[in-house]
């Protein structure tokens, strides 16, 4: 009993350091958002070209999630986590010295590869912490991503307003170094290792599929949804996806076991993840734009990007505050009901948003409600996945879940972009999104939350998977890994339209 206190303190320190890694990655993703409208002048490129500063990060993060997790299983999760932090620092330094678009995009792509910090940290926690402490730790790390994203907006706006824009990346580099040092000091290595060789063909096929699909989704509005390039990328993504599935079914050690992904609980959780990815996006698009759009529109509040960022910050803090609540619900009645509760809360927040967006304080309240629901839901998903698969398949299943969430957010950006571009009004020769467009987006997100609730209700009764003590091969990509990349895509899209 006397060792319980020190042991708990050690666990708390590990969770805090791993959560810091999540905050650093989320901050890195959002630091660039306030300067997106000024980027063409800052780096001497067109607005369409500077959008690659966002797109490159999105694509790199999608590729890094399964690849870094698998490499961590094979060579050590802490080791690969530290490698990811080094990549983040290097990418930040390249961007900090950039004076043109090419090095900025390279630096941003390297920062995107650092998204592997999140799944590696969560899987490392699974290996080194007691099972009864895992739910709370996962919830804290999941919430830390929301905190990092929310705090990154006002911090970045303040730096962009009062200092040179390169300082954004110096801050990112400094935080990366801090996280690296604390990880070295506090976090132990897991002794679990996966045997076998790395699935290079599977990784290449999955990466090509994701790049083709996400590139078509993120750039389709600019290139034209019916253009040969966009259609060709969608077709290529479909063909590559089929080839990847066929390969994974035959591979002796697949990157992602598609048979496990087809199981009812895993499949239903992944479908719910796509829908929640859509729902998560809407507030990142709507809230900042309404706050920043001029008052003469009749619905805009005419505030600065700094005010918009500050309005989003309480939501991130509420997401952190919901971590122990999510853990208690999951431990008492199971993650299925945590997911259902999150869907109800998110749906109520968006339903309020359809009718209640007339002041900054109203937007702060509804953003907080939505963020709290997202915190509940996202913290439940890893437990649902881990409860449905044997330990040796955890990484494959959670990797796929992460990708589903990212795809849901990317599809949402395309759908919301069409709505905002189509439902407009003209004032003084300027074409702006109408208030109706934002109400439609909020209503669609409320509907998506209802769909997620129905899907969650259809999940089978939760039965935790029993681990075999002889199993020493543990896959390790955990479920909350997509949030930072999703926040980057969503916030970047919103800022570019503001």
């Amino acid at each position: 009993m006397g060792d319980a206190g020190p042991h708990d303190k050690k666990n708390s320190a590990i969770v805090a350091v791993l959560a810091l890694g999540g905050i650093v990655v989320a901050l890195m993703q959002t630091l660039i958002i306030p300067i997106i409208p000024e980027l063409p002048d800052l780096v001497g490129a067109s607005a369409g070209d500077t959008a690659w500063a966002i797109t490159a990060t999105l694509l790199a993060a999608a590729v890094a999630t399964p690849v870094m997790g698998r490499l961590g299983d094979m060579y050590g999760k802490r080791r690969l986590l530290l490698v990811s932090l080094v990549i983040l620092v290097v990418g930040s330094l390249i961007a900090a010295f950039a004076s043109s678009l090419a090095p900025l995009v390279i630096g941003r792509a390297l920062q995107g590869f650092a998204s592997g910090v999140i799944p590696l940290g969560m899987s490392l926690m699974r290996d080194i912490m007691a099972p009864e402490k895992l739910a709370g730790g996962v919830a804290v790390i999941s919430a830390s991503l929301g905190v990092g994203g929310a705090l990154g907006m006002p911090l970045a706006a303040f730096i962009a307003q009062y200092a040179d824009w390169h300082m954004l990346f110096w801050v990112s580099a400094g935080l990366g170094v801090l996280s690296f040092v604390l990880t070295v000091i506090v976090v132990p290595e897991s002794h679990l290792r996966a045997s076998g060789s790395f699935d290079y063909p599977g990784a290449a096929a999955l990466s090509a599929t994701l790049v083709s699909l996400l590139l078509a989704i993120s750039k389709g509005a600019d290139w034209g949804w019916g253009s040969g390039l966009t259609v060709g990328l969608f077709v290529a993504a479909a063909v590559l996806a089929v080839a990847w599935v066929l390969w994974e079914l035959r591979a002796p050690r697949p990157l992602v076991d598609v048979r496990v992904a087809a199981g009812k609980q895993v499949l239903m959780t992944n479908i719910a993840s796509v829908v929640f990815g859509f729902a998560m996006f809407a507030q990142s698009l709507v809230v900042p734009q309404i706050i920043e759009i001029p008052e003469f529109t009749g619905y805009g509040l005419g505030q600065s990007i700094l005010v918009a960022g500050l309005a989003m910050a309480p939501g991130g803090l509420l997401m952190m505050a919901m971590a122990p609540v999510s853990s208690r619900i999951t431990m008492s009645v199971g993650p299925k009901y945590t997911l259902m509760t999150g869907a109800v809360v998110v749906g109520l927040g968006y339903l309020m948003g359809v009718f209640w967006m007339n002041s900054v304080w109203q937007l702060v309240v509804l953003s907080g409600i939505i963020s709290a629901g997202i915190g509940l839901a996202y913290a439940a998903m890893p437990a649902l996945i881990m409860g449905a698969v044997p330990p040796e398949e955890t990484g494959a299943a959670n990797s796929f879940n992460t990708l589903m969430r990212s795809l849901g957010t990317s599809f949402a950006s395309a759908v919301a972009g069409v709505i905002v571009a189509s439902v407009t009004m003209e004032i003084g020769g300027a074409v702006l999104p109408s208030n109706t467009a934002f109400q439609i987006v909020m209503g669609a997100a409320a509907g998506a939350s209802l769909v997620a609730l129905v899907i969650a209700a259809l999940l089978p009764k939760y039965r935790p998977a029993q681990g075999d003590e002889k199993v020493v091969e543990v896959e390790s990509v955990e479920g909350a890994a997509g949030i930072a990349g999703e926040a980057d895509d969503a916030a970047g899209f919103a800022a570019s339209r503001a």
Side-chain angles (χ1 to χ4, degrees):
M1 294 295 292
D3 294 336
H7 186 68
D8 286 344
K9 289 182 180 179
K10 181 179 179 181
N11 283 336
S12 298
I14 292 171
V15 172
V17 171
L18 294 177
L20 174 63
I23 291 174
V24 170
V25 169
L27 281 169
M28 173 273 298
Q29 302 281 10
T30 54
L31 278 175
I32 195 176
I33 303 305
I35 65 169
I36 287 176
E38 288 77 37
L39 266 183
D41 293 332
L42 294 174
V43 298
S46 68
D49 288 341
T50 55
W52 284 101
I54 293 291
T55 304
T57 311
L58 170 69
L59 299 179
V63 172
T65 298
V67 171
M68 296 303 284
R70 174 60 175 160
L71 290 174
D73 290 338
M74 296 175 65
Y75 301 110
K77 301 174 183 68
R78 177 177 177 269
R79 180 178 299 172
L80 266 293
L81 190 153
L82 293 172
V83 169
S84 296
L85 288 171
V86 169
I87 293 174
L88 184 147
V89 173
V90 171
S92 299
L93 291 175
I94 291 175
F97 285 107
S99 58
S100 60
L101 181 61
L104 176 63
V105 171
I106 292 172
R108 290 288 294 163
L110 289 174
Q111 287 184 319
F113 273 110
S115 295
V117 164
I118 304 159
L120 287 165
M122 297 186 76
S123 57
L124 181 59
M125 180 184 295
R126 180 180 186 267
D127 290 350
I128 63 179
M129 293 183 67
E132 64 270 15
K133 301 290 184 181
L134 183 59
V138 168
V140 169
I141 293 185
S142 298
S144 73
L145 300 174
V147 173
L151 297 182
M153 287 283 285
L155 174 63
F158 181 83
I159 292 174
Q161 185 170 342
Y162 296 106
D164 181 77
W165 66 278
H166 293 92
M167 184 60 65
L168 297 170
F169 299 103
W170 286 111
V171 169
S172 178
L175 291 172
V177 171
L178 175 63
S179 182
F180 180 94
V181 172
L182 290 177
T183 301
V184 170
I185 295 172
V186 175
V187 180
E189 178 63 278
S190 166
H191 297 294
L192 296 174
R193 294 288 188 274
S195 63
S197 59
F198 185 75
D199 182 15
Y200 289 103
L206 180 59
S207 299
T209 301
L210 292 171
V211 169
S212 299
L213 180 60
L214 293 175
L215 197 55
I217 293 171
S218 61
K219 302 295 288 184
D222 297 329
W223 295 339
W225 294 108
S227 69
L229 181 56
T230 303
V231 173
L233 284 170
F234 277 124
V235 171
V239 173
L240 287 166
V242 172
W244 173 72
V245 170
L246 293 175
W247 169 262
E248 295 297 276
L249 288 172
R250 292 184 173 185
R253 190 67 181 177
L255 187 72
V256 177
D257 192 331
V258 294
R259 293 184 180 90
V260 172
K264 183 177 180 181
Q265 182 161 312
V266 177
L267 179 62
M268 297 296 283
T269 303
N270 284 332
I271 295 174
S273 298
V274 174
V275 179
F276 262 110
F278 188 103
M280 180 182 175
F281 172 81
Q283 68 162 329
S284 298
L285 168 71
V286 173
V287 173
Q289 286 208 65
I290 289 182
I291 291 175
E292 295 175 56
I293 285 176
E295 290 182 282
F296 63 73
T297 59
Y299 68 89
L301 302 178
Q303 301 295 320
S304 67
I305 183 66
L306 179 58
V307 173
L310 290 171
M312 299 290 287
L317 298 176
L318 267 175
M319 195 178 293
M320 175 66 81
M322 293 307 292
V325 178
S326 173
S327 175
R328 288 192 187 98
I329 297 174
T330 297
M331 294 299 291
S332 59
V333 296
K336 169 181 175 177
Y337 295 99
T338 311
L339 186 62
M340 293 174 65
T341 303
V344 171
V345 175
V346 171
L348 288 175
Y350 278 121
L351 191 60
M352 289 171 57
V354 176
F355 308 101
W356 209 53
M357 297 186 291
N358 303 316
S359 64
V360 173
W361 75 265
Q362 290 179 352
L363 292 170
V364 169
V365 171
L366 69 89
S367 176
I369 293 172
I370 293 166
S371 297
I374 290 172
L376 286 171
Y378 271 25
M381 289 177 186
L384 282 166
I385 295 296
M386 288 188 287
V389 300
E392 67 272 17
E393 300 294 345
T394 300
N398 273 306
S399 173
F400 202 75
N401 177 254
T402 297
L403 296 177
M404 292 302 100
R405 250 182 290 175
S406 297
L407 292 178
T409 302
S410 299
F411 280 121
S413 76
V415 171
V418 170
I419 293 172
V420 171
S422 302
V423 186
T424 60
M425 62 181 184
E426 185 174 345
I427 299 179
V431 178
L432 296 170
S434 71
N435 189 42
T436 302
F438 295 120
Q439 290 176 320
I440 292 173
V441 173
M442 298 292 266
S449 302
L450 178 60
V451 173
L453 174 63
V454 173
I455 294 171
L458 295 175
L459 283 164
K461 184 178 179 180
Y462 176 71
R463 286 185 292 270
Q466 299 299 315
D468 185 342
E469 294 180 357
K470 296 181 180 179
V471 173
V472 295
E473 299 178 49
V474 179
E475 303 283 351
S476 64
V477 180
E478 304 298 351
I483 298 179
E486 294 157 13
D488 183 21
D489 185 31
F493 181 89
S496 67
R497 297 297 192 274

